[in-house]
Amino acid sequence: MLNTQNGYKTYILFELAGTTYGIRSDIVQQMEMVERITPVPNTPAFVEGVVFSRGQVITAINLRLRFGFDKIPYDTRSRLIVVHTGSRTAGMIADTAREFVSIAAEAVQEPPAAISGVSGRYIEGIATLGERLVLILNVEELLSATETIAVMPAGGRADAGK
């Protein structure tokens, strides 16, 4: 549930190529280990295929490929984050996901103008949690576009994580 009454919103945090990302917790249905993925021909490269999860067939999107990073093998830390937004349900594959946090509205800033192009459409804001920067994603935009996204990691190098 998204809590905005006291100026805080809740997020699920996950890591991808050494960068921490956040998505609103109210759109997350479940998180699970990455298991059997059935490939589907003629889909964008970042679509790994489909999975059967809790009685439904879900598209599995590899966020590393979606953001233009190198693909790595899945391990026990890899997670499928099943999200539902609008009329779409999809599974987003992340390197790891294990945090549920509340972030104060004043801790979230607008993305810098330098990333306002294609990358900027998918970033709602950048939050600071102590010394850590968290890129807050716009999942609706992320799921609706078909091109690969080049997201600038928090370290500032476009090739970080490769």
Side-chain angles (χ1 to χ4, degrees):
M1 177 178 215
L2 194 64
N3 181 359
T4 56
Q5 291 178 335
N6 57 7
Y8 285 81
K9 291 184 181 179
T10 54
Y11 297 89
I12 301 294
L13 301 186
F14 63 90
E15 287 194 20
L16 196 65
T19 300
T20 303
Y21 296 88
I23 56 175
R24 294 187 338 257
S25 64
D26 65 324
I27 65 170
V28 176
Q29 289 186 329
Q30 73 246 16
M31 290 192 303
E32 53 195 60
M33 293 181 70
V34 177
E35 295 187 14
R36 181 174 164 79
I37 299 174
T38 303
V40 176
N42 299 318
T43 58
F46 56 84
V47 175
E48 290 281 323
V50 293
V51 296
F52 190 70
S53 175
R54 298 188 185 182
Q56 60 183 341
V57 176
I58 299 169
T59 302
I61 298 169
N62 185 321
L63 289 178
R64 277 185 158 266
L65 296 178
R66 185 77 171 98
F67 290 161
F69 297 122
D70 290 335
K71 183 177 179 175
I72 61 170
Y74 302 131
D75 61 24
T76 57
R77 295 173 9 127
S78 302
R79 291 292 177 263
L80 179 73
I81 306 167
V82 179
V83 295
H84 180 78
T85 177
S87 62
R88 297 188 70 170
T89 299
M92 302 186 315
I93 302 170
D95 294 349
T96 184
R98 57 185 166 85
E99 289 183 77
F100 178 85
V101 298
S102 294
I103 300 176
E106 61 270 7
V108 180
Q109 300 176 19
E110 292 288 320
I115 60 171
S116 63
V118 173
S119 298
R121 291 196 333 236
Y122 311 103
I123 300 175
E124 286 183 356
I126 300 177
T128 52
L129 294 177
E131 297 293 315
R132 187 166 56 157
L133 291 178
V134 177
L135 301 180
I136 307 296
L137 296 179
N138 181 330
V139 175
E140 292 83 0
E141 286 286 334
L142 183 70
L143 295 179
S144 67
T146 57
E147 75 275 5
T148 299
I149 306 161
V151 173
M152 182 72 68
R157 287 185 22 236
D159 63 343
K162 285 190 175 183

